[in-house]
Amino acid sequence: MKKLYTFTFIILTAVSYSQADCSKFRSGTFKFTDPDSKKVCIINRDGDTQTERVENSEEIYEFSVTWTDSCTYTISPTSSTIQKKPEVLKLGTMTVKITPVTDTTYVQHIRVANSPKFKRRDEVVVVPDL
């Protein structure tokens, strides 16, 4: 009987994870703290465009967003970002997987195309509209 409960729990967990609703994170303003620099990064995402900046900085970087499933998207730098910061091309496309935690937070798992060993995990907070 214990095996049946364990098996049922695993199946229900897998089904609920695969049906995660990330639609509320497709557009809006979000922020997270860079674990290395301890700087706060602000993300504004609207449809197929994402802008990023470090808090208290005027420099803004823009990326094209392509959603590959309900909780995964890729970002590529736009030409304006490449002009400001050409080294961003060396990274290649970044893939971001969202794992919802609450209605106002999610965890983003980032992988970089040209750096297979690079993995990053950040807890991201939704910034409410003012």
Side-chain angles (χ1 to χ4, degrees), residues 38-100:
K38 306 298 183 211
K39 294 180 180 178
V40 176
C41 299
I42 309 295
I43 298 171
N44 289 305
R45 191 167 38 247
D46 186 16
D48 62 355
T49 303
Q50 176 168 306
T51 58
E52 299 180 8
R53 71 176 178 83
V54 174
E55 199 169 55
N56 301 320
S57 170
E58 296 300 317
E59 199 159 341
I60 296 175
Y61 299 102
E62 187 175 82
F63 298 88
S64 296
V65 175
T66 303
W67 288 89
T68 57
D69 67 37
S70 64
C71 293
T72 307
Y73 64 95
T74 60
I75 59 172
S76 303
T78 62
S79 58
S80 66
T81 296
I82 293 168
Q83 287 177 340
K84 290 179 200 174
K85 199 166 189 165
E87 63 271 17
V88 77
L89 276 178
K90 293 178 188 173
L91 296 173
T93 301
M94 291 185 218
T95 301
V96 181
K97 175 82 175 161
I98 294 175
T99 305

Side-chain angles (χ1 to χ4, degrees), residues 4-44:
L4 178 61
Y5 286 128
T6 303
F7 179 73
T8 303
F9 176 75
I10 291 170
I11 295 298
L12 289 174
T13 302
V15 168
S16 66
Y17 179 76
S18 66
Q19 295 177 351
D21 180 19
C22 298
S23 61
K24 62 184 151 257
F25 304 121
R26 285 191 171 220
S27 293
T29 303
F30 312 92
K31 70 179 179 176
F32 67 94
T33 302
D34 182 295
D36 297 326
S37 69
K38 306 298 183 211
K39 294 180 180 178
V40 176
C41 299
I42 309 295
I43 298 171
N44 289 305

